[in-house]
Each structure stands twice: as structure tokens, then as C-alpha cells.
Amino acid sequence: MAFTVRLLLFSSLFLLPVSVFAQTNGSIAVGDFLTATTANSSPWLSPSGDFAFGFSPLGSNDLFLLSIWYAKIPDRTIVWHANGDNEAAVAPKGSTVNLTANSGLVLRSPQGEELWKSGTSVGVIANGVMNDTGNFVLQDRNSESLWETFNNPTDTMLPGQTLERSGKLSSRQSETNYSKGRFQLLLQEDGNLVLSTINLPTNFANEPYYATDTTSGTVAGSEGKELVFNVSGYLYVLRENGGKYNLAVGEVVSARDNYIRATLNFDGIFAQYYLPKNFTGNVSWTILWSEPDNICQRITESSGVGVCGYNSICTLKGDKRPTCRCPTGFSLLDPNDHIGDANRISYKAVKKMSLVAQKIYMMLRC
Ligand SMILES: *[C@@H]1O[C@H](CO)[C@@H](O)[C@H](O)[C@H]1NC(C)=O
Ligand SMILES: *[C@@H]1O[C@H](CO)[C@@H](O)[C@H](O)[C@H]1NC(C)=O
Ligand SMILES: *[C@@H]1O[C@H](CO)[C@@H](O)[C@H](O)[C@H]1NC(C)=O
Ligand SMILES: *[C@@H]1O[C@H](CO)[C@@H](O)[C@H](O)[C@H]1NC(C)=O
Ligand SMILES: *[C@@H]1O[C@H](CO)[C@@H](O)[C@H](O)[C@H]1NC(C)=O
Ligand SMILES: *[C@@H]1O[C@H](CO)[C@@H](O)[C@H](O)[C@H]1NC(C)=O
Ligand SMILES: *[C@@H]1O[C@H](CO)[C@@H](O)[C@H](O)[C@H]1NC(C)=O
């Protein structure tokens, strides 16, 4: 008898970690916390295990990014990250994120300095939920949402997510630097969905290089109300009158069989991607569609200096994403920065310079 009990105890102890992993309901209690370490850092998983919330290592500098990613894909693809106004909330090793009742998620450095918080203005948080849609939700005791990552997007939208008027996506600096970059997708107050370059740090938006033109035209109620990425994986501007402006026509993959996302890339391309859930071996994201068709031509003087910066030549790769090179005799200012630098000045400003200054600037640029 004693033997049986001990055996049972032993086996249930042995099984515990496995069953916790398999049966998580995605719920996170107030008081729960995560620590930024490379060793045994177990993130908060959604019930299906498709999405994880936690710390992602950034490069090899013992820095981490509080983020959400696809937990089953070997190559980490981040769909949301904690960010301040313009900077990503980068956390040194040993930082913690706590779920608190009154301040939501609070990220602190090992020294106790507050690096970021979700900040909820009203209500008391009962728990957090890492949802199977990829949405991390803070809710009150009645399961009303008080804060969610879907309402605070970074550069990516997921099926089930919508963007209201004045809602936007911001590109990152580069593939590996998550601070705010030079491109933005904005659903304007007039209902138009536009892509534009922005001037940092003022955030001034230049003339759009892509627009759906979903404004109040001749047909009543044709202005855009929200950008909808529905759970079937269709992305469209929903008009006030119920009409839809589809961003991609006739191209769709099954949302049941594929992971699907729409990302504003660091080079200004807004693209929808998919990856089969039943992948084997090496796997990478496939582009379903992207906008604009030719970003090298679309971004002209009026929409800010070209994608590549002054005096450098923009060409499209096979996947319509831009690459930059210098005319013969010049070399890139920063050889690692393949789409120019962030501190460029406008074409107009260059034109105002003296001829000598222009020449020097052009030599420096490339
Ligand atoms: C989720 O599981 C936790 C324990 O792991 C439990 O306290 C909580 O009530 C569960 N939530 C739901 C919605 O089932
Ligand atoms: C986070 O939780 C840990 C462990 O419970 C605790 O030591 C720490 O003080 C908490 N930090 C905050 C900001 O609540
Ligand atoms: C959570 O995910 C379910 C599907 O798994 C979805 O129906 C629901 O709308 C999501 N809730 C939120 C708040 O995102
Ligand atoms: C990312 O880029 C910004 C702006 O160029 C810079 O200030 C920051 O230090 C970079 N972050 C990292 C982790 O390299
Ligand atoms: C998503 O949108 C497409 C295109 O408008 C529509 O055919 C489909 O029924 C929608 N899916 C859901 C779940 O509403
Ligand atoms: C994945 O699923 C699709 C159908 O959804 C099927 O056609 C394909 O053969 C499957 N691939 C693998 C590697 O199992
Ligand atoms: C996966 O891709 C990487 C880089 O493209 C390559 O080095 C590696 O050999 C590939 N692995 C397999 C199993 O194909």
C-alpha cells in the first residue's frame, strides 16, 4: 500500500512539469513574474503553445526584449515587443517583469529601475491571459479586457486584430534593432490607410508612398473605419458603410493550417507572410503579398528622401524588397546599414546648401 502511494506520488511529481506545459490555460496570476536569463527561462505560453510571452535575447550582449513570439517555430519571429515612445524597452540580464494588480505589467532592471510598464488607467487587474491568437490580455475579475497587446501594436498585425483610426504600426530600425524606425502605417482620421516615412525624433510624417484612398469620396460612408485582419487571414479596410477594401485580391492561405502575420518591415515594405503549421525541417516565412510594388520609385522627394538616402541607388530584389548601393567610386557611409542611415536630411535641405556644401554632403552620403 505504502509502496503504491509512494509510486503514485513519484509518478505524479515526475509528470507535473509535462502536464503543466501541456495543459496551460494561458492564465497568469497577479504576482507572477519572469526573469530575463538565458538559462531555464520558461515563458508564459498560450493554451495551444503557439505563442509565448517573455524575454527574447538580443544579440549577445546580455540584453533582452520583453516580447511575444511563435513558440513552435525554431527561428524566433517576434510579433510584439515592449517599447517606449521611440525606443524599444531593452532589459539587461536579471531584469524582471511582474504582473501587478494596479500597474499591469511592470518591467524592472536588476537594480529596481522601472524600464517599462503596460499602465492601465482604470480598473484592477485580476489576471493576464496569453491568448491563442497571440494577444496578451490583462483582464479584471469579470474577464473584461483592461489592456491588450493587440491595442498597442508594434510592427506586426495578427489575424483577429484590428486597427482603429489613428492606430498605427511602426517599423523597427533594422532586422535586429527594435527601436522605432523610419516607416509607419497609419489609419488616418479621414479613413485613409497610408504608408509614409517619418522624420525622427519629431515623428513628422512625410507624403504617403502608398494609400488605399479610402476617404469619403462620392459614395456616402466610403471612408475607412478600421483596418481589419480577420481570423480567416483577410486584411481589409472596413468602410463606414460596411464595404471592404481588400489589401490583397484573390490571395489567401488557410488560417487553420498556417501561421499568418502582416508586418511593416524595417525597409518600408508592408507584407503578409505565412508559414505552414505542420512544417518539417528548415522553414521560413513566405510572402503572400506586399505593398508598395516598387518602393524605390514610390518614395520620391515629396515623401522624404528615397529609401536608400541621398545619392545612393535603390534596386529591388526578387521579393520586391529594396537594397541599396553606391555609385562607382563611393562607399556606403555605414556598410552594415543596407538601407541608408537614419540621420539623413531632406532633399530640399540639400538643395538649399551652397554648391560646395552639396558636393561635400553627396560625397559623405555614399
Ligand atoms: C487557469 O489555471 C489556473 C491554475 O493553473 C487557475 O487558477 C485558473 O482559474 C484557470 N483559469 C481558467 C479560465 O480556467
Ligand atoms: C516582482 O516579483 C518578485 C518576486 O515575487 C519580487 O521580489 C519583486 O519585488 C516584484 N517586483 C515588483 C515591482 O513588484
Ligand atoms: C482569444 O482567443 C480566442 C480564440 O482562441 C478568440 O476567440 C478570442 O477573441 C481571443 N480573445 C482576445 C481578447 O483576444
Ligand atoms: C538601436 O538604434 C537606436 C537608434 O539608432 C540606437 O540609439 C540604439 O542604441 C540601438 N539599439 C541597439 C540595441 O543597438
Ligand atoms: C474574413 O473576410 C473574408 C473577406 O471579406 C470573408 O470572406 C470571410 O468570411 C471573413 N471571415 C470571417 C471569419 O469573418
Ligand atoms: C501539411 O498539411 C498540408 C495540408 O494542410 C498537406 O498538404 C501537406 O502535405 C502537409 N505537409 C507535411 C510536411 O505534413
Ligand atoms: C537550415 O538552413 C541553414 C541556413 O540556411 C543551413 O545552414 C542548415 O544546414 C539547414 N539545415 C537543414 C537541416 O537543412
Side-chain angles (χ1 to χ4, degrees), residues 221-266:
S222 54
E223 61 271 29
K225 186 177 167 226
E226 51 192 20
L227 174 62
V228 177
F229 201 177
N230 79 9
V231 290
S232 320
Y234 288 81
L235 192 63
Y236 54 85
V237 176
L238 180 65
R239 301 176 190 269
E240 283 290 349
N241 60 19
K244 293 174 178 175
Y245 177 98
N246 288 310
L247 269 86
V249 181
E251 293 160 81
V252 81
V253 294
S254 153
R256 195 198 55 202
D257 299 334
N258 296 277
Y259 294 116
I260 302 178
R261 66 184 169 96
T263 299
L264 177 57
N265 288 296
F266 68 91

Side-chain angles (χ1 to χ4, degrees), residues 12 74 78 84 167 185 240 247 257 261 275 284 296 299 301 322 354:
S12 58
I78 290 177
L185 173 81
E240 283 290 349
L247 269 86
D257 299 334
R261 66 184 169 96
L275 188 152
S284 60
C296 294
I299 300 192
E301 286 166 46
S354 75

Side-chain angles (χ1 to χ4, degrees), residues 299-312:
I299 300 192
T300 55
E301 286 166 46
S302 58
S303 42
V305 180
V307 194
C308 293
Y310 198 68
N311 211 35
S312 106

Side-chain angles (χ1 to χ4, degrees), residues 43-321:
W44 294 333
L45 291 172
S46 72
S48 64
D50 280 340
F51 288 97
F53 179 99
F55 289 101
S56 294
L58 263 187
S60 49
N61 305 324
D62 277 347
L63 294 175
F64 294 82
L65 192 63
L66 186 61
S67 51
I68 295 174
W69 65 91
Y70 295 91
K72 293 177 179 170
I73 303 177
D75 208 8
R76 189 163 293 197
T77 306
I78 290 177
V79 296
W80 177 88
H81 65 271
N83 66 325
D85 283 343
N86 287 335
E87 296 290 311
V90 173
K93 187 177 180 175
S95 298
T96 54
V97 62
N98 288 43
L99 181 55
T100 69
N102 296 309
S103 303
L105 294 162
V106 182
L107 175 65
R108 284 183 194 276
S109 73
Q111 289 74 36
E113 183 200 350
E114 185 180 297
L115 301 171
W116 174 86
K117 69 174 175 215
S118 58
T120 50
S121 44
V122 285
V124 176
I125 291 154
N127 65 291
V129 180
M130 183 64 250
N131 200 316
D132 274 339
T133 52
N135 191 8
F136 190 87
V137 187
L138 300 178
Q139 47 186 219
D140 67 13
R141 53 189 298 193
N142 302 317
S143 298
E144 291 290 329
S145 162
L146 299 178
W147 182 90
E148 44 191 276
T149 52
F150 270 15
N151 291 339
N152 296 272
T154 49
D155 61 1
T156 295
M157 278 181 81
L158 297 172
Q161 190 168 2
T162 58
L163 211 60
E164 307 295 324
R165 282 197 193 138
S166 84
K168 61 182 156 191
L169 300 183
S170 298
S171 71
R172 38 176 113 142
Q173 282 276 335
S174 68
E175 203 63 52
T176 51
N177 184 325
Y178 289 78
S179 288
K180 192 193 267 185
R182 284 178 283 131
F183 302 93
Q184 119 183 332
L185 173 81
L186 170 70
L187 184 60
Q188 293 182 166
E189 288 296 341
D190 65 0
N192 201 3
L193 181 75
V194 300
L195 285 169
S196 44
T197 57
I198 56 167
N199 299 345
L200 291 171
T202 59
N203 287 326
F204 176 82
N206 296 301
E207 288 289 310
Y209 58 89
Y210 167 82
T212 55
D213 295 328
T214 44
T215 52
S216 58
T218 43
V219 181
S222 54
E223 61 271 29
K225 186 177 167 226
E226 51 192 20
L227 174 62
V228 177
F229 201 177
N230 79 9
V231 290
S232 320
Y234 288 81
L235 192 63
Y236 54 85
V237 176
L238 180 65
R239 301 176 190 269
E240 283 290 349
N241 60 19
K244 293 174 178 175
Y245 177 98
N246 288 310
L247 269 86
V249 181
E251 293 160 81
V252 81
V253 294
S254 153
R256 195 198 55 202
D257 299 334
N258 296 277
Y259 294 116
I260 302 178
R261 66 184 169 96
T263 299
L264 177 57
N265 288 296
F266 68 91
D267 54 17
I269 301 285
F270 185 48
Q272 186 174 340
Y273 296 85
Y274 67 93
L275 188 152
K277 288 186 182 174
N278 66 353
F279 68 86
T280 52
N282 259 4
V283 66
S284 60
W285 293 92
T286 306
I287 294 191
L288 193 60
W289 57 261
S290 69
E291 291 287 355
D293 258 354
N294 187 338
I295 196 167
C296 294
Q297 278 173 13
R298 284 299 189 91
I299 300 192
T300 55
E301 286 166 46
S302 58
S303 42
V305 180
V307 194
C308 293
Y310 198 68
N311 211 35
S312 106
I313 298 167
C314 180
T315 49
L316 289 186
K317 293 182 285 182
D319 58 2
K320 294 192 211 164
R321 293 187 62 174

Side-chain angles (χ1 to χ4, degrees), residues 11-22:
S11 53
S12 58
L13 272 178
F14 180 73
L15 283 173
L16 196 60
V18 178
S19 56
V20 164
F21 181 85

